[in-house]
Amino acid sequence: MKHITLVTQAAVMSCTAMLLLNAPALSGQAAGAAPELKAASPGIFFPANDLMKIGVFYYPEQWPKDEWERDFKNMARFGFEFTHMAEFSWTYLEPEEGRFDFTWLDEAVDMAARAGLKVILCTPSLCPPAWMGEKYPEVYLVGSDGRRREHGIRANASISNPVYRKFTDRIVTELARHYGNDDRIWGWQIDNEPLAVADYSPSALDAFRKWLENRYKIIGNLNRAWAGSFWSTRYGSFIQVLIPNESMNSEDKLSPHALLDFQRFTADMTASFLNDQADILRKYIRPGQWITSNYINVSTSADPRRSDHLDFPSFTMYPVSGRNELGGNNFRTGIPYRIYEACDYYRPIKGITGLMELQPGQVNWGSVNPQLLPGTVHMWIMQAFGGGCSFLCTYRYRHPLRGSEMYHDGIVGTDGITLTQGGKEFVQAIREIHELKKLPGHDSSMPADFKSRRTAILWSHDVMWDLDIQKQTELWDTWRNRNNYSSAVKSTGAPLDFISENDDFRNYPFLIAPSYQMVDSSLVTRWLDYVRDGGNLVLTCRTGQKDRLGHFFEAPLAGPVRKLIGADIEFFDMLPEGSKGKVRTSNSLHEWNIWAEILSPYAGTEVLASHHDQFYAGTAAAVTRRIGKGTVTYIGIATKEGDIERELVRKVYELAKVPVEDLPKGVYHEWRNGFNVAVNYTDVPFKMPMNKGARVIIGENPVPTARALVWIDN
Ligand code: GAL
């Protein structure tokens, strides 16, 4: 048992000051100063020959102690290689302020290790114990309605609150001291599904003002950035600045620049929260232990690139929760693009990723929670393997008998011992991955045809936020727009990486920047150089319209990119939900209603698509041109279905004479460590084209619905 002295006001102040030193400089892109304690090279954690280890969540605190040993032994017997604990257990780790109790966790770790399981430990920061709220109610987050969250749920704390941060630092320190040198502990997960929730508490307001002061230095700069000349909204000092709160000011539009800064601040606070915990862990842990956090698969508020003190980001994955994207039985096989998109998004950030939570069956929180088609869980596991995951963990081992998630499936059912359908599919996949390990060639390099179509999608959370703050049509959906492009790329069988402006574009023969609204001259110059040197660049509607503050340029629309794309953008249009416009390509007539730009191409620019109706019929909607050794294509249309996006993206590969596959939506082909993996989310079996002499290892071709095919090329 250890005691600490109470957090003093002075200590609290210095804690806040520390947080703010991590605030980013004006670009809004980076997460601040380089970490003092550097993340180790992630490659050392996961040897290529291990392929993908598979594990399972366990909450010892939720089960009678006399069942733990049986449960760990069964997990190991089923083939699981690791388990995952302590995520939400702060009240057991620190039952009273300053009194720590790790005895129960020691016992669980011991039993797990004796069963042959490695352990991922978690920091419990998502779940502050009741004593904290009783004594320090200021630790809670305040919603946009001005109401304070209270105890009785998770994710209720204000990460801007210095008292909460002090308590978090302390529990993490205690855990790190206790388990940092323990070689039974494989790695660490910080927090759970960091979400960057908007916080309107007094602590958040205080931290926001300091963040702004650090960013703008003098209030005049903030007034210029936020357009303070508009509606008399300028401030006389930072102390007057308030958090922009749309729900309190709903009758009119707030400054979009203030909203963008609040979003950036919230993401920076989340990143600093995770980075601080990583720094503490790194002080104590042995070199082999790794540090991650499990972002949700569609992370639109927290920005994993900002939390750069982690060794790598991992992600959570629940593809079936009531949506039916492809029609037919697809509500049972899952949102088809979720897994590839998460793998291709999280993996390139540090060159490695893991799937930290995979749904094993029905969940409890979807709009409806249908059964999965048999085979689906196995298919997902193989897809994550193909997508390069170094490990995969399923949420959760046991079906809860009580509590908030009691309708959630597990690997075993309500009796605690019998494998569910998902459990059986895990057992099968684990056995098969072991078989794959025995085959040679894990170090082989990517086949030439894959390499020739390597594609990157340029992505920035700042750009996404700015698009979302001023959609201009309620039909605009930034995430769907990005997804239309990633789906188009995946239809060619190209390996895809989501990258940032800090990455080297020249690693990719194809680069797509969907609706990259905020630019500066140095980015445009880099795009131009990339193309001159032989890259194929695709820019799409809304790109280049604004500067980094989110202001329009004092120039013709999209001024900075007009020369690059070889066209003027005359104006843009959007249609009401029921109305459709038409655009003609050389192959087909497409419908649109989300966004359309009207282009005037310069001499030497080729038209790929034209408007077929509306008062601007006959004008260009998409264009392409050559510069140096490469090409630039501009697609001025955004649709819900993504058909025209798909056709035009495929055209870019064709013009570059690069061989591509023709996979329907819901069929994907990955390559990893010498293995080809194909999966089929559709209702129709798909015959996967394979090279001569290819050898099927898992599954069959044609690939049936909800099945995976794994093969190697000879
Ligand atoms: C995840 C969350 C888990 C659990 C799960 C249930 O989003 O990270 O803690 O609640 O959902 O499906």
Side-chain angles (χ1 to χ4, degrees):
M1 192 196 295
K2 293 173 187 141
H3 290 276
I4 59 145
T5 47
L6 246 175
V7 181
T8 64
Q9 197 52 31
V12 162
M13 289 310 292
S14 70
C15 178
T16 317
M18 289 276 294
L19 303 184
L20 295 163
L21 284 176
N22 275 339
L26 267 169
S27 86
Q29 296 289 329
E36 265 180 40
L37 296 151
K38 286 259 181 331
S41 156
I44 65 164
F45 302 124
F46 306 104
N49 287 349
D50 280 359
L51 297 181
M52 180 175 82
K53 287 199 183 296
I54 299 186
V56 61
F57 272 60
Y58 193 64
Y59 296 93
E61 68 277 20
Q62 293 177 6
W63 303 102
K65 204 190 246 180
D66 59 8
E67 293 180 357
W68 296 359
E69 187 158 21
R70 177 203 67 188
D71 288 346
F72 289 125
K73 281 186 172 160
N74 281 344
M75 283 176 207
R77 191 166 56 81
F78 295 141
F80 290 101
E81 293 160 286
F82 65 91
T83 187
H84 173 288
M85 295 192 279
E87 189 183 35
F88 303 134
S89 58
W90 197 339
T91 182
Y92 292 94
L93 295 167
E94 190 179 0
E96 292 165 26
E97 183 179 346
R99 182 170 74 79
F100 299 96
D101 177 9
F102 297 161
T103 49
W104 64 275
L105 188 56
D106 288 344
E107 279 179 73
V109 168
D110 199 47
M111 283 182 205
R114 275 192 281 113
L117 301 165
K118 292 170 180 290
V119 176
I120 296 177
L121 277 191
C122 303
T123 69
S125 45
L126 201 74
C127 298
W131 55 254
M132 201 186 297
E134 182 193 6
K135 223 160 157 190
Y136 312 97
E138 69 271 28
V139 297
Y140 292 124
L141 186 143
V142 173
S144 59
D145 56 359
R147 286 170 62 188
R148 201 175 71 194
R149 303 246 178 112
E150 303 291 349
H151 192 71
I153 191 72
R154 58 184 175 177
N156 51 357
S158 164
I159 58 169
S160 296
N161 182 260
V163 174
Y164 170 67
R165 292 289 283 255
K166 270 276 160 192
F167 281 123
T168 301
D169 288 359
R170 192 175 60 173
I171 186 69
V172 176
T173 305
E174 294 298 325
L175 276 166
R177 277 197 185 130
H178 197 88
Y179 294 106
N181 251 319
D182 189 333
D183 54 17
R184 299 169 303 179
I185 310 303
W186 192 29
W188 294 83
Q189 174 194 306
I190 294 174
D191 206 71
N192 173 64
E193 291 193 325
L195 278 182
V197 180
D199 178 9
Y200 301 82
S201 67
S203 315
L205 176 58
D206 191 38
F208 184 46
R209 286 177 179 154
K210 295 201 169 91
W211 184 94
L212 290 169
E213 200 163 350
N214 183 53
R215 184 173 170 83
Y216 292 110
K217 311 295 180 235
I218 55 169
I219 197 69
N221 290 341
L222 177 139
N223 285 327
R224 263 188 299 284
W226 286 17
S229 53
F230 218 78
W231 294 340
S232 229
T233 53
R234 73 183 175 139
Y235 294 99
S237 69
F238 286 99
I239 205 76
Q240 294 174 351
V241 178
L242 299 174
I243 292 177
N245 187 339
E246 276 184 305
S247 70
M248 309 285 256
N249 301 281
S250 53
E251 65 284 351
D252 224 332
K253 295 249 181 270
L254 291 169
S255 162
H257 320 297
L259 289 168
L260 178 59
D261 270 348
F262 183 52
Q263 194 103 41
R264 286 169 162 157
F265 156 78
T266 303
D268 281 345
M269 284 309 282
T270 303
S272 90
F273 183 57
L274 301 176
N275 284 338
D276 282 0
Q277 292 196 43
D279 290 349
I280 294 171
L281 287 172
R282 211 174 295 289
K283 263 193 228 158
Y284 298 99
I285 64 175
R286 65 183 173 83
Q289 289 180 358
W290 42 261
I291 304 171
T292 188
S293 187
N294 58 339
Y295 286 88
I296 61 165
N297 53 83
V298 182
S299 182
T300 53
S301 49
D303 179 359
R305 287 190 182 270
R306 282 167 150 88
S307 56
D308 55 355
H309 300 206
L310 309 179
D311 288 312
F312 57 88
S314 53
F315 61 90
T316 64
M317 183 57 58
Y318 295 85
V320 169
S321 57
R323 274 179 46 190
N324 194 347
E325 293 269 322
L326 302 175
N329 265 316
N330 180 237
F331 68 98
R332 299 192 188 283
T333 53
I335 300 173
Y337 43 80
R338 278 278 190 268
I339 292 182
Y340 82 69
E341 220 178 19
C343 291
D344 295 347
Y345 178 60
Y346 287 103
R347 190 193 53 243
I349 293 175
K350 295 272 182 133
I352 209 159
T353 193
L355 201 172
M356 191 61 95
E357 293 177 25
L358 180 66
Q359 170 178 12
Q362 282 169 306
V363 295
N364 63 293
W365 47 262
S367 52
V368 289
N369 298 293
Q371 283 288 335
L372 315 185
L373 267 197
T376 298
V377 169
H378 178 266
M379 173 180 80
W380 292 338
I381 298 170
M382 289 302 157
Q383 190 182 10
F385 166 69
C389 288
S390 296
F391 63 83
L392 184 151
C393 192
T394 178
Y395 184 92
R396 48 186 283 150
Y397 182 65
R398 290 187 65 167
H399 189 131
L401 303 183
R402 51 192 83 84
S404 308
E405 292 184 344
M406 51 191 291
Y407 281 95
H408 203 289
D409 254 345
I411 289 298
V412 293
T414 43
D415 67 1
I417 49 175
T418 307
L419 282 173
T420 56
Q421 172 63 25
K424 289 180 191 154
E425 293 179 24
F426 260 94
V427 172
Q428 180 193 339
I430 294 170
R431 212 180 46 235
E432 289 167 346
I433 300 260
H434 280 304
E435 290 305 312
L436 297 185
K437 284 185 200 169
K438 296 181 195 154
L439 297 169
H442 305 158
D443 52 355
S444 58
S445 49
M446 188 181 274
D449 53 342
F450 265 84
K451 219 168 172 182
S452 69
R453 49 185 190 247
R454 261 193 106 191
T455 304
I457 290 185
L458 187 65
W459 183 256
S460 148
H461 269 45
D462 294 63
V463 171
M464 169 184 61
W465 294 326
D466 197 58
L467 285 162
D468 281 348
I469 288 165
Q470 287 183 309
K471 290 172 188 279
Q472 188 62 3
T473 158
E474 62 183 15
L475 302 183
W476 181 264
D477 180 339
T478 307
W479 206 269
R480 161 111 17 213
N481 184 51
R482 147 183 157 147
N483 179 258
N484 282 341
Y485 283 97
S486 73
S487 294
V489 172
K490 293 306 255 195
S491 79
T492 70
L496 173 64
D497 283 350
F498 286 88
I499 63 168
S500 81
E501 288 179 40
N502 294 329
D503 295 307
D504 190 349
F505 304 161
R506 287 166 307 184
N507 293 333
Y508 303 88
F510 298 88
L511 173 65
I512 304 178
S515 304
Y516 215 85
Q517 187 163 252
M518 297 194 295
V519 301
D520 55 25
S521 57
S522 92
L523 176 61
V524 177
T525 306
R526 283 180 64 204
W527 280 340
L528 182 61
D529 291 345
Y530 164 78
V531 174
R532 278 201 181 115
D533 291 348
N536 298 287
L537 175 68
V538 179
L539 301 177
T540 84
C541 63
R542 305 186 84 152
T543 295
Q545 291 192 351
K546 295 183 180 175
D547 66 17
R548 301 288 190 182
L549 292 170
H551 299 181
F552 283 136
F553 292 101
E554 190 167 349
L557 201 59
V561 297
R562 288 183 316 145
K563 280 201 179 125
L564 177 65
I565 65 173
D568 283 341
I569 293 165
E570 299 294 346
F571 55 90
F572 47 77
D573 194 17
M574 51 215 79
L575 301 174
E577 175 90 72
S579 317
K580 297 281 184 190
K582 290 197 173 61
V583 170
R584 183 176 282 293
T585 63
S586 57
N587 286 342
S588 13
L589 196 57
H590 292 278
E591 288 187 333
W592 70 274
N593 70 347
I594 295 185
W595 194 277
E597 290 178 2
I598 288 71
L599 313 177
S600 293
Y602 304 161
T605 301
E606 191 189 327
V607 175
L608 291 180
S610 307
H611 294 285
H612 186 71
D613 63 3
Q614 312 301 318
F615 66 90
Y616 38 79
T619 56
V623 294
T624 192
R625 69 183 294 223
R626 301 204 138 269
I627 305 178
K629 295 187 218 148
T631 62
V632 187
T633 301
Y634 189 87
I635 303 173
I637 302 287
T639 69
K640 186 169 174 214
E641 299 74 18
D643 294 338
I644 186 167
E645 290 90 334
R646 179 188 159 104
E647 182 184 325
L648 293 176
V649 166
R650 294 180 62 82
K651 180 91 184 168
V652 173
Y653 296 90
E654 185 192 313
L655 292 173
K657 301 195 172 45
V658 165
V660 293
E661 296 174 353
D662 191 7
L663 307 176
K665 198 168 185 180
V667 173
Y668 305 106
H669 178 188
E670 304 285 353
W671 181 92
R672 177 238 172 109
N673 288 102
F675 298 102
N676 289 278
V677 179
V679 293
N680 185 2
Y681 286 77
T682 75
D683 275 0
V684 186
F686 183 77
K687 174 105 170 105
M688 213 39 225
M690 298 199 294
N691 294 336
K692 233 174 154 193
R695 181 151 69 98
V696 171
I697 315 285
I698 297 169
E700 52 181 316
N701 199 12
V703 191
T705 304
R707 291 291 191 274
L709 174 72
V710 180
W711 74 99
I712 48 178
D713 288 316
N714 278 330

